[in-house]
Amino acid sequence: MKRVVAALIVAGTLLLSAQTAPHNPLLHATRQAPTDLEVGGEISGAGQFISYQDLLRLPQVNFITSNDTNFPVPPRVGGVALDQLRRLLGAGGDMVVAICRDGYRSNYPASYLAAHHPVLVLTVDGKAQESWPKAENGGELGPYVIANPSFTPSFKVLSHNDEAQIPFQVVRLDFRSESEVFGAIAPHGNFAPGSPVMDGYRIAQQNCYRCHNMGAEGGHMASIAWPVLAALAKGSPEFFAKYVRNPQALNPHSKMAASPEYDDQTIAALRDYFVTFAPGEPK
């Protein structure tokens, strides 16, 4: 009898929560069209999809792209700023994570949002997704692309410059806590700010984390997870360095972007950082 009463209490609590959850007219419980944007994370209100037409009704930012590899011929694009969308959704957290169809992820912490004002692109030269130019690989750019109105690197760590986060084929935005997302790859151990390990951590946050994962967190485009990178950094440091700088030289089929500009100090910092995840290392 106690189990029945407990079950009824739980069911009643869930029903009350659903009835009292704030309603957001932008959000829909189910996908209505392939162009719907999926959203998740710390969002107030029921539903997890926003239609393309509803996005077009939001305050728009318009600009001509510059140095954007998604658009070799700079077009005029229009869209909604990620920070603005976060406010309109009443989302919590202090960062936005863009998730692409192939598992690639771009992370936008508060510092990036403030410095570069990234925009979820909705129109290209006034046209909807079906009329957009093709991606570099010949595929579709959409359903969504993220672009920066302008981009000047806001930080530099060793030989790693702040990089423009401009993913294409974006299908979902998550509104998350930076401490949770980046905390998943915080180095194991205590290290002083400015130490090689912490420099490597900062670089890995923006670079490696886009494609490589640590459990459920991070990108899932690459098949090599964080613990495997740690094992390579510890057991095969020369291979690790060569692969980071020029992956195609070792694997012609690799889709990983090369980083030939990384000097020895930068590679060493990345290696020292990843080694903290290797088995047998002090935690």
Side-chain angles (χ1 to χ4, degrees):
M1 183 64 182
K2 290 182 179 179
R3 291 183 179 179
V4 173
V5 172
L8 289 173
I9 291 174
V10 171
T13 301
L14 292 174
L15 179 60
L16 180 62
S17 298
Q19 290 175 339
T20 58
H23 174 67
N24 190 319
L26 287 174
L27 298 176
H28 305 280
T30 59
R31 186 181 295 278
Q32 307 295 315
T35 53
D36 284 0
L37 175 69
E38 186 175 5
V39 294
E42 301 179 29
I43 296 179
S44 60
Q48 63 182 103
F49 296 96
I50 308 176
S51 75
Y52 176 67
Q53 293 303 320
D54 282 342
L55 287 168
L56 285 173
R57 295 186 183 99
L58 301 180
Q60 303 290 298
V61 176
N62 292 275
F63 57 93
I64 295 175
T65 62
S66 176
N67 298 320
D68 190 322
T69 55
N70 290 323
F71 303 104
V73 178
R76 175 170 289 277
V77 301
V80 58
L82 296 187
D83 218 18
Q84 172 84 318
L85 182 58
R86 183 176 63 173
R87 289 193 292 269
L88 291 171
L89 289 173
D94 52 5
M95 75 179 301
V96 183
V97 180
I99 303 174
C100 302
R101 184 175 290 133
D102 60 5
Y104 181 96
R105 296 191 183 194
S106 282
N107 298 301
Y108 300 93
S111 58
Y112 190 102
L113 294 171
H116 305 303
H117 311 290
V119 169
L120 182 73
V121 174
L122 303 175
T123 60
V124 177
D125 285 332
K127 299 174 183 177
Q129 296 103 321
E130 62 270 12
S131 300
W132 290 359
K134 296 296 182 182
E136 190 177 48
N137 61 8
E140 299 296 326
L141 275 180
Y144 296 97
V145 177
I146 294 177
N148 303 297
S150 62
F151 186 86
T152 301
S154 62
F155 71 85
K156 183 174 183 178
V157 179
L158 303 177
S159 57
H160 173 85
N161 281 300
D162 181 21
E163 297 177 344
Q165 305 298 300
I166 47 174
F168 62 94
Q169 293 185 348
V170 174
V171 295
R172 177 184 170 106
L173 294 179
D174 275 353
F175 301 88
R176 303 283 306 280
S177 165
E178 182 175 338
S179 62
E180 182 180 23
V181 174
F182 287 156
I185 58 166
H188 291 178
N190 296 315
F191 303 94
S195 64
V197 168
M198 295 307 291
D199 284 345
Y201 175 41
R202 183 78 185 279
I203 296 168
Q205 286 177 10
Q206 188 176 73
N207 192 343
C208 316
Y209 211 29
R210 293 179 292 192
C211 297
H212 299 276
N213 70 291
M214 183 62 164
E217 299 289 1
H220 286 73
M221 181 179 179
S223 59
I224 303 176
W226 227 249
V228 180
L229 293 173
L232 287 173
K234 182 178 181 180
S236 305
E238 291 185 4
F239 179 89
F240 178 87
K242 291 178 180 178
Y243 205 90
V244 170
R245 286 184 172 129
N246 188 1
Q248 286 72 33
L250 299 173
N251 178 8
H253 302 291
S254 176
K255 296 180 180 179
M256 178 174 161
S259 298
E261 74 281 7
Y262 281 7
D263 59 19
D264 290 345
Q265 188 179 6
T266 304
I267 293 292
L270 274 173
R271 190 172 61 243
D272 289 350
Y273 160 72
F274 275 109
V275 164
T276 71
F277 293 88
E281 290 299 309
K283 308 303 182 192

